[in-house]
Amino acid sequence: ERGGYPHFMLKEIHEQPKAIRDTLLGRVSPDLSRVTLSELKWPEGFVKEIDRIHIVACGTAWHAGLVGKAVIEQLSGIPVEVDIASEYRYRDPIQTPNTLVIVISQSGETADTLAALREAKRRGRRVLAITNVVGSSAAREADDVLVTWAGPEIAVASTKAYTTQLVALYLLALYFAQERGRVSQDELHAILKGIDGLPQVAEQVLDTAPQIERFAKDWAHASDTFFIGRGLDFSVALEGALKLKEISYIHAEAYAAGELKHGTLALITDGVPVIALAMQDALYEKTVSNIKEVTARGAFVLGMTWVGDEELQKSVDQVIYVPHTLPLLAPIAAVIPLQLLAYYAAVARGNDVDKPRNLAKSVTVE
Ligand code: M6R
């Protein structure tokens, strides 16, 4: 049942190229000129009337939502807020009649996310669920559903659900942009071409697994680690840190790279391991100067950048190179080495990778 893999988590990490491909199937025109989300039965004119979006989710799905916010705002111009479901349900959020609420949940059964969904519906909002389980409560109770076709995710640590949630959010952002006339045909085509290439990018990133396994042997001894990045890289850093904590039990903190000197830098001393993502071309120089801030304090830095970058290696101790895609799509490429790092560190520490202590796959209690 584990298809020859020692753990479900490793199997699911390796299933990502297929999961991404399946989630794209039938949603992009063959000539890469349009997004078609025929499952969305939105009333005539609704897409044009949406004036804000609230994304609500927990854990990894919340991290996907953070990427979703950046991408939807950038491409469609619609203002987006992202909330942790257990916060949203108790905070009396300001909604307009044309606020679209998007809940993201792999299982579709997370108690806090469902409560947020129900509260939004009670207030008369239209709710879209992005979920991996067709018959789940979220799928049944939402007005519209975008299914992520990741297939069953068994390991407690979420991997392929995250990458397919990102794919669904990219498609949705492009769909908004297309329907609201916010994107030129050329730009739409360029991004769709990038998205179409993601399964192959994921495949190539998986080829780095043996290298990550070697790195993970060093990381397995760490007690405190930091993940830093800017923009979308920061969102991926949050996800990488969660993975590491969840299964390897190594304390990890994700920080917006520019925020370090507002307190966290005090914790960077000799030998403290830092993972630094430098995938956002427009923010590259700024990130490198933050990397220099930590190396100057003796941090041991594992950097991540695009294949072909000759610069980063001069400022860090180890580098992971990932195949090129658009910076907008970098989270899909960047998260995979972080999933692998957490996995191999957990294995090296002898942990129960698929069933980490104190955690359940689906959190159906408040
Ligand atoms: O099923 P859901 O997507 O609603 O689950 C949300 C979180 O419980 C989940 O993503 C959790 O954070 C993962 N175990 C993290 O790997």
Side-chain angles (χ1 to χ4, degrees):
E1 54 174 359
R2 284 190 238 109
Y5 290 97
H7 298 98
F8 281 109
M9 185 181 175
L10 191 62
K11 172 173 180 264
E12 289 162 7
I13 288 173
H14 282 272
E15 281 170 348
Q16 289 179 109
K18 178 177 189 303
I20 295 168
R21 207 172 282 126
D22 291 349
T23 302
L24 287 172
L25 209 68
R27 289 169 169 166
V28 179
S29 67
D31 62 355
L32 308 178
S33 69
R34 278 191 79 72
V35 180
T36 34
L37 300 176
S38 48
E39 55 270 75
L40 302 181
K41 305 282 181 241
W42 283 340
E44 187 69 26
F46 178 70
V47 183
K48 291 210 173 85
E49 281 160 14
I50 298 170
D51 57 8
R52 57 177 87 180
I53 293 174
H54 287 175
I55 299 180
V56 187
C58 301
T60 287
W62 175 64
H63 293 157
L66 296 174
V67 175
K69 169 189 161 75
V71 173
I72 293 171
E73 287 189 337
Q74 185 183 324
L75 294 175
S76 76
I78 306 169
V80 184
E81 284 182 51
V82 194
D83 270 76
I84 293 170
S86 57
E87 293 292 316
Y88 188 79
R89 62 181 292 198
Y90 297 117
R91 86 165 167 91
D92 196 15
I94 298 171
Q95 299 174 341
T96 59
N98 290 326
T99 297
L100 172 69
V101 175
I102 302 177
V103 297
I104 309 174
S105 175
Q106 187 283 129
S107 63
E109 302 298 345
T110 299
D112 283 318
T113 308
L114 288 176
L117 182 162
R118 288 171 188 148
E119 177 58 18
K121 294 238 29 160
R122 196 188 62 77
R123 293 184 184 208
R125 301 290 83 80
R126 209 174 169 92
V127 178
L128 164 68
I130 296 179
T131 182
N132 196 38
V133 180
V134 176
S136 62
S137 303
R140 282 184 278 109
E141 294 183 34
D143 300 289
D144 303 280
V145 184
L146 259 185
V147 175
T148 52
W149 297 106
E153 193 182 63
I154 311 291
V156 166
S158 187
T159 54
K160 59 180 181 169
Y162 174 79
T163 37
T164 54
Q165 284 158 0
L166 294 187
V167 168
L169 288 161
Y170 286 128
L171 292 177
L172 197 61
L174 278 174
Y175 179 75
F176 289 142
Q178 163 189 298
E179 299 299 308
R180 293 163 71 109
R182 290 275 311 203
V183 66
S184 71
Q185 198 52 55
D186 284 353
E187 197 188 351
L188 186 60
H189 179 73
I191 302 173
L192 284 175
K193 201 161 162 250
I195 291 178
D196 187 58
L198 285 173
Q200 210 194 335
V201 168
E203 257 156 36
Q204 290 167 354
V205 181
L206 287 167
D207 292 340
T208 63
Q211 183 197 14
I212 312 277
E213 185 173 7
R214 285 195 301 279
F215 289 165
K217 297 224 163 78
D218 299 333
W219 289 74
H221 305 292
S223 52
D224 292 289
T225 59
F226 294 86
F227 288 65
I228 61 171
R230 286 173 176 256
L232 290 177
D233 289 354
F234 172 46
S235 302
V236 179
L238 286 163
E239 175 60 6
L242 176 62
K243 269 331 59 119
L244 194 69
K245 285 181 271 200
E246 184 174 28
I247 57 168
S248 78
Y249 315 147
I250 297 169
H251 174 235
E253 243 186 275
Y255 248 79
E259 183 69 4
L260 281 176
K261 47 177 149 336
H262 299 283
T264 309
L265 212 45
L267 295 172
I268 308 292
T269 52
D270 219 19
V272 170
V274 174
I275 295 177
L277 286 81
M279 321 286 292
Q280 298 302 313
D281 298 349
L283 300 165
Y284 184 86
E285 300 301 333
K286 299 279 171 203
T287 306
V288 170
S289 52
N290 299 131
I291 292 172
K292 289 182 176 150
E293 288 165 5
V294 298
T295 49
R297 274 92 193 167
F300 178 82
V301 180
L302 169 57
M304 196 192 298
T305 187
W306 304 113
V307 168
D309 175 358
E310 305 279 329
E311 282 306 305
L312 194 69
Q313 58 178 352
K314 298 176 190 158
S315 315
V316 300
D317 298 280
Q318 298 172 329
V319 194
I320 301 170
Y321 292 100
V322 301
H324 218 274
T325 178
L326 300 172
L328 190 73
L329 307 175
I332 299 226
V335 79
I336 295 173
L338 304 184
Q339 296 167 343
L340 288 166
L341 189 77
Y343 171 78
Y344 287 117
V347 170
R349 287 165 76 106
N351 295 352
D352 187 349
V353 173
D354 285 336
K355 287 194 175 22
R357 67 187 181 208
N358 307 342
L359 299 172
K361 180 62 185 163
S362 185
V363 184
T364 52
V365 292
E366 221 193 291

